[in-house]
Amino acid sequence: MKRTLALLLILLLTLSAAQADPLTQIDDLAAEFRQPEDGSLLIFRYAFPQVASADSEKQEAVEEINAFYAYEAYDAEAFKVPMAADEMEEAGEQGEVTVSYTVTCSTEKWFSVLMQTETRTASWRYVSYKSQVFACETDKPGNVISLPYLLGILDEGEDDTWLQTRQTERADACVQRLVWEELERRAAAGEFTLPADVNEETFAVLFSPEEDFYLDENEQPVFYLKPGLLGDSAAGLITIPFTLDELLDEI
């Protein structure tokens, strides 16, 4: 009897663990394009994530996430490749564009991705970033969420545009202030150099916390300043992590 109960307990724990697995990454949505066919003007490569899950309750999130990146691939092929080729031709350059990604968080609740686009020619290199945070366990699984939804100060189904604007501005102002204070602290410690012509007011115009964040492996937000936003783009991506509790205490 005890052996049977023990086996039953192990089975239940195994099933529970299986149900708790986050989304599984499958083969990337990837391609390479050359303009012209010999690639003498442009080589454009992209790789976007695709996911799967054995959990039937995750299928809507899986479909929405995969559809989101399928559109990104279509947009790259239809618009970004010819646009990049035109820009190279106008500049008299030859180069490569590589779109890649890092999954920064994959849990029952969230799937977060940081996308990187590197443009390289013989004379220069530039890297840009954008990110997506997908909700996996909401009324609209697979939706890309913004900051006020993450903080819980705006419901996902909220359609009051006045409230959406108010809560977005509230969240943005809070994060902008906290990030600025952290940048000042780093500058005072010699870890970072703030441009002389940037103050808190001008920084608030440059930095958009509503969009420029991802989640880390502990489901905590990490805000980032894109290369070149403050000073030399060679400094790369500047990241400023916070916990949700820290942000909620300040709002």
Side-chain angles (χ1 to χ4, degrees):
M1 182 64 178
K2 290 183 179 179
R3 178 187 173 93
T4 301
L5 289 174
L7 290 173
L8 179 60
L9 179 60
I10 291 172
L11 177 61
L12 290 174
L13 289 173
T14 302
L15 289 173
S16 176
Q19 292 172 352
D21 282 346
L23 302 180
T24 302
Q25 284 185 249
I26 55 177
D27 290 345
D28 289 345
L29 194 57
E32 178 178 294
F33 301 88
R34 293 174 177 263
Q35 301 284 344
E37 290 186 1
D38 64 358
S40 58
L41 179 63
L42 172 70
I43 300 174
F44 193 109
R45 305 180 184 91
Y46 68 67
F48 296 106
Q50 295 285 272
V51 296
S53 176
D55 186 348
S56 60
E57 295 183 0
K58 291 287 190 296
Q59 291 311 305
E60 187 174 349
V62 165
E63 291 171 7
E64 291 295 328
I65 292 169
N66 289 344
F68 179 93
Y69 289 113
Y71 179 81
E72 289 289 300
Y74 163 77
D75 185 64
E77 294 179 26
F79 300 104
K80 291 189 171 71
V81 171
M83 186 181 301
D86 288 345
E87 290 173 352
M88 291 290 179
E89 188 171 27
E90 288 177 9
E93 296 271 11
Q94 298 175 350
E96 298 183 6
V97 176
T98 303
V99 181
S100 58
Y101 71 90
T102 301
V103 174
T104 62
C105 178
S106 181
T107 67
E108 279 289 287
K109 294 176 61 178
W110 310 108
F111 186 75
S112 178
V113 178
L114 180 65
M115 300 295 309
Q116 172 182 297
T117 300
E118 178 185 21
T119 303
R120 183 188 295 270
T121 71
S123 58
W124 58 277
R125 172 181 178 270
Y126 180 71
V127 182
S128 63
Y129 295 86
K130 65 178 181 177
S131 53
Q132 298 87 37
V133 176
F134 298 93
C136 297
E137 290 188 338
T138 64
D139 292 337
K140 298 178 180 179
N143 271 17
V144 176
I145 64 153
S146 57
L147 184 59
Y149 297 97
L150 176 70
L151 296 176
I153 62 173
L154 196 62
D155 292 334
E156 191 174 26
E158 183 57 65
D159 57 6
D160 185 330
T161 55
W162 177 86
L163 185 60
Q164 290 174 346
T165 300
R166 177 181 179 276
Q167 297 298 70
T168 297
E169 291 176 347
R170 181 183 169 200
D172 281 358
C174 173
V175 173
Q176 283 168 344
R177 175 176 57 80
L178 291 175
V179 169
W180 178 255
E181 290 173 354
E182 172 60 16
L183 291 177
E184 287 189 312
R185 185 200 67 76
R186 294 184 187 184
E191 303 170 7
F192 175 76
T193 301
L194 279 172
D197 60 345
V198 176
N199 57 32
E200 186 171 1
E201 287 70 31
T202 55
F203 175 69
V205 176
L206 297 172
F207 173 51
S208 302
E210 179 192 356
E211 298 178 352
D212 294 342
F213 76 95
Y214 57 86
L215 299 184
D216 67 15
E217 66 275 11
N218 297 314
E219 303 184 342
Q220 301 303 311
V222 179
F223 297 91
Y224 58 88
L225 309 184
K226 296 174 181 176
L229 184 69
L230 294 179
D232 188 357
S233 61
L237 194 70
I238 299 172
T239 58
I240 303 97
F242 291 103
T243 67
L244 285 173
D245 288 343
E246 286 173 330
L247 298 181
L248 292 172
D249 284 345
E250 296 291 334
I251 290 182

